[in-house]
Amino acid sequence: MLKLEMHTVGLIALTTCLLIGLSEADEWEFPEDFKFGVATSAYQIEGGWDADGKSVSVWDRITHTTPNFVQDGSNGDIACDSYHKWEEDVTMLKDLGVHYYRFSLAWTRILSGGYTSTVNEAGVAYYNKLIDKLLENGIEPVVTLYHWDMPQKISTLGGVTNNVWVDIFTNYARTAFERFGDRVKTWITFNEPNIICHYFHSVLGSLQPDYPNGVIEYLCTYNLLKAHAETYHIYDREFRHKQEGKVGITLNFEWSEPASDSPEDVAAAERRRQFDFGLFANPIINFDFPKVVVDRVAERSKLEDFPRSRLPQFTFAEKLNVKGTYDFLGLNHYTTWLVSDDEEPSLDQSGFYIDTKVARQQDPAWEKTAVDDNRVVPWGLRKALNWIKTTYGNPDIFITECGHSDLTASLNDDRRTNFYKTYLNATLEAILEDGVKVKAFMAWSLMDNFEWNKGYLVKFGIYRVNFTDPERPRTIKDSGTYYKEVISTRRI
Ligand code: PNW
């Protein structure tokens, strides 16, 4: 009798476990409103660098005048030739089953004069064809206005650091809203302002040989944020009522994990997050530059004998104007660092990274990729998403880039497949277990392309592109087939 009871209890327990297990498995899928996509950018894929009235961008110029700026001496003159092969790109997107295609507009195709108002109709026609074809196939365009290919004419004026930048940029943004906003409902003003102001501005502004210097960098940050905010307000005033779209910005964020439990390292990791992400997100979402950054740049500027902080101050009116200028937050995420407090760096250098006063390293056990420092650390994405949730009041987050690089372009790219598996799982944990409002995931990238100063050596594509063939044929990789499966089943 007792034996039988035990047996029954056991059976009930087993059934319950199975049921719970099953229902948990059932729920381990992406919510209904979650969208999948892939991302690219104009200079990295289009080619057609001087086609149909396009003017010269900073990337055209630097690659033509300083070929060794790019590791393999290459350039984006032809790249994936998407300027001609856009229909095939849409076929690939359709086959993957993506909801979103994130691409960027080449400013130099649309306003070839850079800062003039004369529109180059041929350039507009190219994007019209692409956008229409996407929509015909049920794919929503997610459009980045500025993904680093600044018109050379504007760079010559000092680029983002010139006071006229806000007018120049918003003139371009308004043109894009006018021409494409009837069909484009998701806009990203800037891709990775952090990289624009602290890294590529140097070479591309080309006015500052001693860049980075901690002055230009923050002037760029300040002007860029004002241009972002003004673009948002223009959309609000002139377009939102008829176009009903969303405007956001894409920030890159590598997770900073304290290297130890010491209060100094914990503070250092938080400080680094505020320098990397808060510098842009805090004025837009909360208010003003983050206090820890304001204080630290002031302190270091004083040590360097500057009469005042190198970080410009927003006026109160500007703070109000920048605050709230987002409908969603775009996040590009690739890797994670272990961060510790550093000694005060020597005073004969000056710059953003010196201001952070941190040392960073990565655990050698973390899997490497083709980009030296982009080690695979999926839990870092989950932590980054949670930090954004708590620091900024749980905004809607679009992961606008996340991806894995190799050198081989092999179709059997198991490591990339595993990367997507684990990073998508981290995303799902953040959504289902932590309540982070992640609304989309866009893989970087649709296809192998021009990886900036690494040229064609480093491959991020879920499609391979054969760059030695003038036809630039594309072939899906195993990771592409895997992603397609995830999209159709909504499961990992
Ligand atoms: C992003 N970093 O760039 C860009 O948005 C893409 O255009 C690029 O192809 C992709 O990532 C892969 O590299 C980054 O040094 C470049 O921290 C550099 C850094 C981060 C992102």
Side-chain angles (χ1 to χ4, degrees):
M1 185 65 189
L2 188 70
K3 226 179 171 179
L4 209 147
E5 269 172 18
M6 286 296 285
H7 182 70
T8 316
V9 171
L11 250 182
I12 292 169
L14 184 71
T15 323
T16 317
C17 278
L18 269 176
L19 279 175
I20 291 172
L22 269 181
S23 74
E24 262 184 8
D26 267 341
E27 282 159 15
W28 201 248
E29 62 182 35
F30 288 91
E32 256 171 54
D33 64 346
F34 188 89
K35 294 186 176 173
F36 294 94
V38 289
T40 62
S41 90
Y43 187 71
Q44 296 180 272
I45 65 159
E46 285 179 1
W49 77 276
D50 64 350
D52 304 331
K54 180 182 167 297
S55 62
V56 173
S57 77
V58 288
W59 279 94
D60 295 322
R61 179 176 170 277
I62 194 97
T63 55
H64 293 162
T65 57
T66 319
N68 64 358
F69 178 66
V70 177
Q71 262 179 43
D72 58 359
S74 67
N75 58 48
D77 286 3
I78 303 174
C80 308
D81 201 21
S82 287
Y83 189 67
H84 299 106
K85 295 180 68 84
W86 56 276
E87 276 185 284
E88 197 176 325
D89 293 350
V90 179
T91 307
M92 286 145 64
L93 294 161
K94 176 78 180 168
D95 184 56
L96 286 170
V98 291
H99 313 104
Y100 280 150
Y101 178 41
R102 175 179 179 232
F103 61 96
S104 77
L105 304 177
W107 185 340
T108 48
R109 275 192 210 292
I110 296 170
L111 296 180
S112 14
Y115 42 83
T116 65
S117 313
T118 311
V119 175
N120 177 36
E121 294 300 337
V124 171
Y126 170 67
Y127 294 113
N128 275 338
K129 285 186 298 194
L130 173 62
I131 292 165
D132 290 344
K133 192 81 185 174
L134 288 169
L135 292 172
E136 254 172 61
N137 284 280
I139 301 158
E140 277 184 65
V142 173
V143 175
T144 312
L145 289 170
Y146 184 79
H147 200 125
W148 307 353
D149 47 352
M150 180 182 290
Q152 180 57 41
K153 285 185 180 174
I154 296 171
S155 176
T156 307
L157 299 180
V160 188
T161 57
N162 189 319
N163 273 344
V164 297
W165 166 256
V166 177
D167 280 348
I168 289 177
F169 183 79
T170 52
N171 176 49
Y172 159 61
R174 181 185 279 109
T175 308
F177 295 153
E178 275 166 4
R179 295 309 188 98
F180 310 116
D182 56 335
R183 288 152 295 151
V184 173
K185 302 301 167 193
T186 311
W187 292 99
I188 292 165
T189 54
F190 292 98
N191 179 66
E192 303 188 348
N194 174 297
I195 301 292
I196 296 170
C197 292
H198 305 304
Y199 186 46
F200 278 136
H201 187 70
S202 57
V203 212
L204 305 173
S206 67
L207 294 175
Q208 293 83 34
D210 289 331
Y211 182 92
N213 55 35
V215 175
I216 301 294
E217 294 173 278
Y218 296 117
L219 186 54
C220 172
T221 302
Y222 174 69
N223 282 354
L224 186 144
L225 281 166
K226 288 201 288 188
H228 161 80
E230 207 42 49
T231 303
Y232 187 91
H233 292 305
I234 286 174
Y235 191 80
D236 258 2
R237 284 196 302 267
E238 302 172 28
F239 300 96
R240 193 183 289 279
H241 65 281
K242 50 185 186 218
Q243 299 186 346
E244 298 180 324
K246 291 195 267 290
V247 179
I249 188 167
T250 279
L251 307 180
N252 52 307
F253 192 25
E254 302 184 336
W255 177 246
S256 285
E257 181 72 7
S260 80
D261 293 340
S262 79
E264 291 77 17
D265 288 353
V266 170
E270 177 62 12
R271 185 165 68 245
R272 179 71 199 221
R273 292 170 207 142
Q274 294 292 351
F275 267 92
D276 284 346
F277 197 83
L279 187 61
F280 296 94
N282 213 68
I284 294 174
I285 303 182
N286 293 337
F287 196 62
D288 200 0
F289 291 125
K291 187 173 183 318
V292 63
V293 176
V294 172
D295 291 350
R296 170 61 194 157
V297 180
E299 177 194 20
R300 175 75 191 184
S301 301
K302 202 168 179 182
L303 290 174
E304 292 170 3
D305 206 25
F306 279 87
R308 59 185 163 90
S309 177
R310 288 180 273 98
L311 182 68
Q313 267 187 342
F314 284 118
T315 64
F316 189 70
E318 284 171 348
K319 288 178 203 171
L320 284 177
N321 203 50
V322 174
K323 182 179 171 61
T325 54
Y326 70 103
D327 301 314
F328 65 90
L329 190 57
L331 170 71
N332 289 356
H333 178 84
Y334 289 88
T335 196
T336 286
W337 292 89
L338 300 173
V339 176
S340 48
D341 190 33
D342 203 6
E343 285 166 17
E344 188 66 68
S346 119
L347 292 176
D348 41 272
Q349 334 159 48
S350 182
F352 173 83
Y353 295 108
I354 287 167
D355 290 337
T356 65
K357 199 176 151 295
V358 305
R360 301 199 306 173
Q361 56 185 26
Q362 291 182 310
D363 185 336
W366 298 342
E367 183 193 330
K368 285 185 110 170
T369 65
V371 173
D372 288 350
D373 298 330
N374 279 355
R375 289 185 190 254
V376 180
V377 195
W379 55 260
L381 172 57
R382 183 176 180 181
K383 288 205 172 191
L385 290 168
N386 273 278
W387 183 85
I388 294 171
K389 175 191 166 196
T390 48
T391 312
Y392 304 105
N394 208 5
D396 282 356
I397 301 172
F398 287 27
I399 297 176
T400 44
E401 279 180 35
C402 186
H404 181 276
S405 59
D406 62 29
L407 299 169
T408 64
S410 162
L411 298 180
N412 310 120
D413 56 341
D414 296 349
R415 286 180 167 214
R416 183 171 293 106
T417 300
N418 195 53
F419 174 93
Y420 282 117
K421 210 173 267 180
T422 54
Y423 275 72
L424 282 163
N425 193 55
T427 305
L428 210 38
E429 285 169 344
I431 298 172
L432 299 179
E433 291 181 356
D434 313 331
V436 184
K437 295 197 294 189
V438 189
K439 298 295 177 191
F441 183 98
M442 296 173 230
W444 184 272
S445 175
L446 170 62
M447 57 192 150
D448 295 341
N449 57 48
F450 178 80
E451 178 53 27
W452 306 114
N453 52 355
K454 300 187 182 67
Y456 299 98
L457 297 172
V458 166
K459 328 274 185 184
F460 273 94
I462 59 174
Y463 274 79
R464 173 166 79 191
V465 176
N466 181 351
F467 292 101
T468 55
D469 186 326
E471 291 299 314
R472 298 293 191 272
R474 291 106 154 96
T475 315
I476 196 164
K477 300 181 188 176
D478 289 348
S479 59
T481 308
Y482 171 72
Y483 193 45
K484 179 176 166 170
E485 176 87 13
V486 171
I487 297 172
S488 77
T489 60
R490 308 187 70 80
R491 285 156 178 269
I492 294 163

